[in-house]
């Protein structure tokens, strides 16, 4: 990776220029970013991957967020100091996009995408140490929030992701550490699942970006 030219990304023999340097600032070009994301998506997920025209608006907002365009983000009500909660129907491409977007800014500290159900399975196996592990100072994107089972360790039930989110909230306050997540659930369903306390913390932790309810299932 070329730290002197973070706007240029090389994949194999191909060089993608996402914008141009002006002093120490990168002036990004959205259409060039989409070309790169489409190409990188095909490398990561196979030739069937593509960027859909109807998703351009949400992808535009994601790009603004990840490149740190504070002015334009503010116009959309996005706070770049908070994390992202990307919601939408099953199969609309949330997980793929969150796995993909971090490659757009290779000069930034990457986050790890972890399925929520894996966190619960870990809790069932090793207990509360799991909550400590995900409540640490790493960057995470918790994938598929709200459909994971309730945790159970030595006969005690635990709403594992609820506890993890409370820990992440404390880290956000103390270290400005961001957390991202994806979900198929709406705000009311999340509140039913995690309770009012966690839901109010989530409002402070996350910007909500939502796919259209009619977004097609891209898995077929």
């Amino acid at each position: 990776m070329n730290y002197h030219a973070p706007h240029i990304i090389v994949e194999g023999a191909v060089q993608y220029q996402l914008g141009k340097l002006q002093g120490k600032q990168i002036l990004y070009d959205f259409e060039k970013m989409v070309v790169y994301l489409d190409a990188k998506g095909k490398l990561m997920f196979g030739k069937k991957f593509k960027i859909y025209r109807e998703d351009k608006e949400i992808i535009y907002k994601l790009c603004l967020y990840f490149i740190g365009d504070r002015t334009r983000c503010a116009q959309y009500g996005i706070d770049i100091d908070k994390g992202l909660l990307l919601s939408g129907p099953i199969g609309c491409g949330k997980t793929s996009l969150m796995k993909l977007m971090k490659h757009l800014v290779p000069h930034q500290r990457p986050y790890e995408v972890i399925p929520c159900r894996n966190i619960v399975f870990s809790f069932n196996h090793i207990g509360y140490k799991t909550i400590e592990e995900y409540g640490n100072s790493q960057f995470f994107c918790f994938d598929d929030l709200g459909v994971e089972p309730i945790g159970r360790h030595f006969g005690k039930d635990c709403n594992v992701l609820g506890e993890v989110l409370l820990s992440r909230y404390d880290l956000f306050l103390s270290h400005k550490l961001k957390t991202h997540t994806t979900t198929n659930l709406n705000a009311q369903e999340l509140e039913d699942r995690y309770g009012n306390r966690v839901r109010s913390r989530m409002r402070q932790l996350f910007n909500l970006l939502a796919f259209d309810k009619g977004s097609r299932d891209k898995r077929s």
Side-chain angles (χ1 to χ4, degrees):
M1 185 179 75
N2 187 346
Y3 283 95
H4 300 295
H7 62 304
I8 297 172
I9 300 179
V10 178
E11 294 288 350
V14 186
Q15 188 168 287
Y16 296 91
Q17 187 160 336
L18 307 184
K20 58 186 178 185
L21 271 183
Q22 190 174 76
K24 289 187 174 178
Q25 197 177 17
I26 304 169
L27 301 177
Y28 283 95
D29 180 318
F30 177 59
E31 290 306 322
K32 287 178 178 173
M33 287 194 281
V34 168
V35 168
Y36 170 69
L37 289 170
D38 192 67
K40 183 65 175 175
K42 285 178 169 60
L43 287 172
M44 289 174 68
F45 308 116
K47 294 210 165 30
K48 282 188 172 179
F49 178 87
K50 72 175 199 173
I51 300 285
Y52 289 84
R53 185 172 294 278
E54 69 256 34
D55 295 338
K56 282 279 181 80
E57 187 183 337
I58 200 160
I59 290 168
Y60 180 62
K61 290 176 183 176
L62 285 168
C63 285
L64 290 179
Y65 174 86
F66 279 103
I67 65 174
D69 189 327
R70 207 172 272 277
T71 307
R72 285 194 187 143
C73 278
Q75 290 168 356
Y76 287 105
I78 298 168
D79 180 347
I80 65 172
D81 296 319
K82 290 162 60 164
L84 292 175
L85 192 159
L86 187 58
S87 76
I90 292 168
C92 69
K94 302 180 296 295
T95 305
S96 300
L97 275 179
M98 288 306 289
K99 285 180 176 175
L100 190 54
M101 292 308 295
K102 61 181 176 179
H103 296 283
L104 196 63
V105 281
H107 53 292
Q108 291 183 17
R109 185 179 168 190
Y111 52 86
E112 196 179 345
V113 180
I114 307 278
C116 289
R117 58 197 301 254
N118 289 12
I119 298 172
V120 175
F121 294 153
S122 172
F123 174 86
N124 293 347
H125 184 57
I126 62 171
Y128 286 87
K129 190 169 182 293
T130 299
I131 292 166
E132 285 172 32
E133 281 177 7
Y134 290 102
N136 68 20
S137 57
Q138 277 181 268
F139 278 20
F140 291 111
C141 173
F142 299 128
D143 188 37
D144 234 358
L145 182 73
V147 294
E148 75 282 353
I150 285 286
R152 194 169 177 83
H153 185 68
F154 282 122
K156 276 192 171 178
D157 285 355
C158 177
N159 193 329
V160 178
L161 265 296
E163 294 299 324
V164 168
L165 288 171
L166 290 174
S167 296
R168 300 299 296 183
Y169 174 74
D170 291 340
L171 278 172
F172 174 67
L173 291 185
S174 58
H175 293 86
K176 294 289 173 223
L177 195 74
K178 289 190 233 180
T179 304
H180 304 311
T181 187
T182 72
T183 186
N184 306 327
L185 305 187
N186 62 34
Q188 187 55 54
E189 288 167 329
L190 286 169
E191 186 164 324
D192 293 345
R193 182 77 169 76
Y194 297 107
N196 186 270
R197 181 168 168 239
V198 173
R199 176 73 189 119
S200 73
R201 300 289 189 273
M202 287 173 75
R203 285 192 194 95
Q204 295 170 72
L205 266 177
F206 301 121
N207 295 285
L208 175 60
L209 287 184
F211 276 84
D212 194 285
K213 285 187 178 69
S215 288
R216 72 174 96 176
D217 189 331
K218 280 117 180 166
R219 297 169 305 173
S220 52

